[in-house]
Amino acid sequence: MNSYVIFLFHVISIAVNINQNSMDFFLDTAEVDVIKDLSETGLVDGITTNPSLVAKSGQDFFSVLEKISRIIDGPISAEVTAIDTEGMINEGLKLSKIAKNIVVKLPLTLEGLKACVFLVNKKIRTNVTLCFSANQALLAAKSGATYVSPFIGRLDDIGENGLDLISNIKSIYSNYIALNTKILVASVRSLDHIAKSAIIGADTVTLPPKVFLEMYDHELTKKGLDAFLKDWAETKQSIL
Ligand code: E4P
């Protein structure tokens, strides 16, 4: 291999690995007031919901999705509840009509993957959820899913390492240029989950509002600000 070929190989490797501008932050909630409040930060790129979150909100599913779509321009995942392919397709088609930014969320079952292929062919965006293994993620990507949602907290709960799964999916997807599915890290429980997902290069994390609010917080930031303000007050100056 001559040096030009080696150089080209390095450039291509970098281009393949650095394939997006930033990590997207989604909120993992169906609480409209919370979404409205946190969207004012300008840092919320999308929303994920699931049947449990909708049940917890105590609100009507369709009205929740309509309200969220008036607040958020980015992707909003809405999950089907049928378990057969035809039912999932019909529910997916109905959900996709609520707003242009609805992403149909499908479970990672054989029926869900079949529904995914159908909806992808109809140019409807999909999020294949409840992913717990690299092989499942490979199938989601082969099905053309826009997103795959590996649930890392639930893997940690059973003594496995959820972040290892993110790392493995990232490696697999990086090996094949035709696998364009985005890794949407789900079931996030800690700040460590977020930072390590970014180090791995996951495309998106979906965060419970509480974890989102913990991200900016650091004891030394508070302490440092207090000291700056105290010293500034002693100068008796004013910027405005
Ligand atoms: C993702 O889309 C799911 O809604 C969510 O992240 C599941 O998280 P949990 O394991 O905390 O319920």
Side-chain angles (χ1 to χ4, degrees):
M1 229 192 297
N2 69 32
S3 56
Y4 176 72
V5 174
I6 293 171
F7 171 74
L8 206 60
F9 178 77
H10 280 300
V11 170
I12 291 168
S13 309
I14 290 166
V16 167
N17 285 320
I18 304 172
N19 58 6
Q20 60 169 3
N21 295 325
S22 176
M23 174 182 254
D24 282 340
F25 295 142
F26 290 0
L27 289 178
D28 198 25
T29 182
E31 303 291 341
V32 177
D33 290 345
V34 174
I35 292 170
K36 195 165 188 315
D37 193 29
L38 294 182
S39 70
E40 282 163 18
T41 60
L43 298 171
V44 176
D45 301 300
I47 303 293
T48 51
T49 65
N50 66 36
S52 304
L53 292 171
V54 174
K56 198 173 147 204
S57 78
Q59 302 293 306
D60 173 77
F61 187 29
F62 288 91
S63 120
V64 163
L65 293 172
E66 274 161 21
K67 285 180 191 159
I68 298 174
S69 69
R70 275 184 241 127
I71 303 168
I72 299 287
D73 290 332
I76 302 166
S77 286
E79 188 160 343
V80 300
T81 53
I83 53 169
D84 62 303
T85 303
E86 197 187 336
M88 288 187 206
I89 288 172
N90 289 333
E91 290 184 358
L93 291 171
K94 184 171 175 182
L95 292 171
S96 71
K97 291 192 181 96
I98 296 172
K100 61 174 180 1
N101 50 340
I102 294 286
V103 174
V104 177
K105 205 170 174 190
L106 302 154
L108 213 158
T109 58
L110 194 55
E111 292 77 13
L113 292 172
K114 282 158 77 180
C116 181
V117 171
F118 181 93
L119 294 170
V120 167
N121 283 332
K122 295 271 174 211
K123 309 266 181 269
I124 291 171
R125 288 185 294 168
T126 55
N127 171 2
V128 174
T129 189
L130 290 166
C131 171
F132 293 95
S133 78
N135 284 328
Q136 287 182 315
L138 188 52
L139 287 173
K142 286 282 285 179
S143 308
T146 317
Y147 296 97
V148 66
S149 290
F151 278 33
I152 64 172
R154 293 194 195 184
L155 278 173
D156 291 354
D157 289 346
I158 59 160
E160 292 191 26
N161 187 328
L163 284 163
D164 282 352
L165 175 60
I166 302 303
S167 186
N168 288 339
I169 299 173
K170 178 74 184 173
S171 302
I172 291 169
Y173 286 5
S174 302
N175 284 342
Y176 304 102
I177 209 146
L179 299 185
N180 296 315
T181 298
K182 291 186 172 188
I183 304 171
L184 198 175
V185 182
S187 188
V188 167
R189 304 271 160 81
S190 67
L191 297 177
D192 200 44
H193 277 160
I194 307 168
K196 296 224 167 100
S197 294
I199 290 167
I200 294 165
D203 304 278
T204 307
V205 279
T206 186
L207 307 173
K210 181 177 165 289
V211 178
F212 177 81
L213 283 170
E214 283 168 8
M215 279 184 80
Y216 77 91
D217 209 13
H218 198 288
E219 192 48 43
L220 290 179
T221 305
K222 283 185 213 148
K223 214 171 150 189
L225 185 59
D226 286 347
F228 286 156
L229 293 179
K230 185 169 167 287
D231 293 343
W232 179 249
E234 282 167 17
T235 71
K236 305 213 183 311
Q237 296 181 59
S238 157
I239 294 175
L240 294 179

